[in-house]
Amino acid sequence: MDTKRAQRARSQPLTQQQLEIIIGSLLGDGHLVRTTRGFAFRVNHGIEQQAYVDWKYRALESLTNSPPRSYQVSYYFRTVSHPAFDRLRQQFYVGRRKILPAGLEQWITPLVFSVWLMDDGARDKGQLRLNTQSFSRQENQQLLRILEATLGITATLNRDKNSFRLRISAVSMPCIRQLTKPYILSSMQYKFSP
């Protein structure tokens, strides 16, 4: 471990782009893990999403100490611990459970949404599904209101066994394509309906 690099990483503020990628990931598959110094941000996707992990790594590299690695079917990296992650942990978690933070609507941007879509989106005929089953029904309803108010995206709740997820209607797909066009990686285009 490069101690000087880690110290530099801990002392620098997150850029706006880094913060947006992290928030989009926390809405999706990303999580904050406890370290001896606080919390670090961990990215972990399947090996087939290596290009996506590498993209996140390049954006967050100044906060890391080592490049992504693969283990069995996973490809992952984590950042060093950072005071910003301690604050995000307080906002996004209750115990071990991920929650929607208060004031989330202030953080929703096209980049945040794009990362969230690349993490948790799946095409569903002419629509798009966001796999938000880890959030409660009430939190999913809150997400519906936030997406409509901040990005003009119309969605409904879709039951998935005992959980709920968001289903974005076909009418909002042109808006989503326009919003996400600058950010969606070519390797993640399969998340959209043809």
Side-chain angles (χ1 to χ4, degrees):
M1 177 183 280
D2 183 342
T3 307
K4 286 186 180 178
R5 179 176 169 171
Q7 287 172 340
R8 270 195 314 272
R10 284 187 193 98
S11 65
Q12 71 176 19
L14 272 59
T15 67
Q16 184 63 31
Q17 180 196 35
Q18 288 172 332
L19 182 61
E20 290 183 31
I21 289 171
I22 290 163
I23 289 169
S25 295
L26 288 174
L27 288 169
D29 295 329
H31 56 282
L32 296 168
V33 294
R34 183 173 291 284
T35 68
T36 55
R37 293 175 156 274
F39 289 93
F41 175 67
R42 182 174 165 95
V43 170
N44 188 355
H45 292 284
I47 199 82
E48 67 280 357
Q49 293 180 326
Q50 181 172 345
Y52 182 45
V53 174
D54 287 339
W55 175 81
K56 283 186 179 181
Y57 174 74
R58 284 190 301 277
L60 303 174
E61 186 174 4
S62 65
L63 302 170
T64 67
N65 220 351
S66 58
R69 341 182 164 137
S70 55
Y71 178 73
Q72 295 178 348
V73 297
S74 295
Y75 190 61
Y76 67 95
F77 71 91
R78 70 154 239 205
T79 67
V80 297
S81 54
H82 193 284
F85 301 142
D86 296 350
R87 291 188 295 274
L88 287 170
R89 175 75 190 196
Q90 291 172 352
Q91 294 170 302
F92 272 89
Y93 288 82
V94 170
R96 293 178 151 200
R97 190 174 87 77
K98 210 185 278 189
I99 61 165
L100 288 188
L104 176 64
E105 58 277 359
Q106 298 168 21
W107 291 342
I108 297 294
T109 66
L111 176 55
V112 167
F113 181 77
S114 297
V115 171
W116 183 20
L117 187 156
M118 288 189 283
D119 269 30
D120 273 351
R123 79 175 164 204
D124 191 354
K125 299 178 181 144
Q127 303 176 341
L128 179 69
R129 200 174 57 234
L130 280 173
N131 290 304
T132 54
Q133 293 94 322
S134 65
F135 296 120
S136 70
R137 181 178 191 165
Q138 182 180 355
E139 288 172 318
N140 272 288
Q141 289 170 329
Q142 186 180 350
L143 285 170
L144 292 176
R145 289 190 296 273
I146 290 170
L147 288 177
E148 176 76 41
T150 59
L151 300 176
I153 294 170
T154 304
T156 57
L157 280 192
N158 174 243
R159 197 182 230 349
D160 181 37
K161 298 178 184 153
N162 296 324
S163 303
F164 292 88
R165 61 187 171 199
L166 301 187
R167 184 183 302 273
I168 296 170
S169 67
V171 74
S172 285
M173 291 309 295
C175 172
I176 287 176
R177 285 181 191 281
Q178 191 63 33
L179 282 171
T180 61
K181 188 176 181 178
Y183 310 109
I184 299 291
L185 304 184
S186 58
S187 64
M188 302 301 272
Q189 287 292 331
Y190 72 93
K191 300 257 182 179
F192 287 110
S193 296

